[in-house]
Amino acid sequence: FAVQETETLRNKLDRIAADFEADFESSRSKIEALLREVTFLEASKSAVEENADRILKRDNGRSFQLERLKAEYKTSQMRVAELTDEVNTLVARIDCLKSENVDLKQD
């Protein structure tokens, strides 16, 4: 009976480990994609800021263009904040899964 219980527990642990690895790979892939998007958005933000500076130097009377660039900048900032929150959530999930995995391995 103890052998069967040990085998059952080992099978459960193997399933949990497989689920953890799948979740980890999925999370890692999502984090990498989010980080690429954050990097792109940060570069876009810099480009928007540079464009705003050039427009202001060239023609202070183009307030419509300036307002549009400000809106794009605000949108970029909001997206960066959203992506940062998503990255933090994924990192917390990975840490939780790692902790669970360590606890299971110790049992």
Side-chain angles (χ1 to χ4, degrees):
F1 178 75
V3 172
Q4 184 181 11
E5 186 175 328
T6 301
E7 189 64 38
T8 300
L9 290 173
R10 183 171 288 145
N11 288 338
K12 285 181 181 179
L13 183 58
D14 287 345
R15 282 194 308 270
I16 290 170
D19 289 345
F20 169 78
E21 287 177 10
D23 284 347
F24 179 79
E25 286 302 319
S26 175
S27 295
R28 187 175 63 118
S29 176
K30 289 177 184 178
I31 287 172
E32 288 173 357
L34 290 171
L35 289 175
R36 283 191 301 270
E37 191 169 347
V38 166
T39 300
F40 172 77
L41 288 172
E42 287 176 343
S44 295
K45 178 184 125 185
S46 294
V48 167
E49 290 171 340
E50 290 171 10
N51 285 339
D53 287 341
R54 281 197 303 271
I55 288 170
L56 286 173
K57 288 177 185 175
R58 199 173 57 219
D59 184 3
N60 285 333
R62 294 184 176 178
S63 62
F64 176 76
Q65 289 179 348
L66 177 60
E67 293 304 315
R68 180 181 54 81
L69 289 171
K70 285 181 181 179
E72 289 176 10
Y73 175 76
K74 184 176 179 180
T75 301
S76 293
Q77 287 296 96
M78 290 183 345
R79 185 64 179 145
V80 167
E82 290 171 359
L83 291 172
T84 300
D85 287 345
E86 287 182 43
V87 167
N88 289 338
T89 300
L90 289 171
V91 167
R93 176 70 176 133
I94 287 172
D95 288 342
C96 181
L97 289 172
K98 284 180 182 177
S99 176
E100 288 176 15
N101 196 31
V102 167
D103 290 345
L104 289 171
K105 284 183 179 181
Q106 291 177 353
D107 290 343

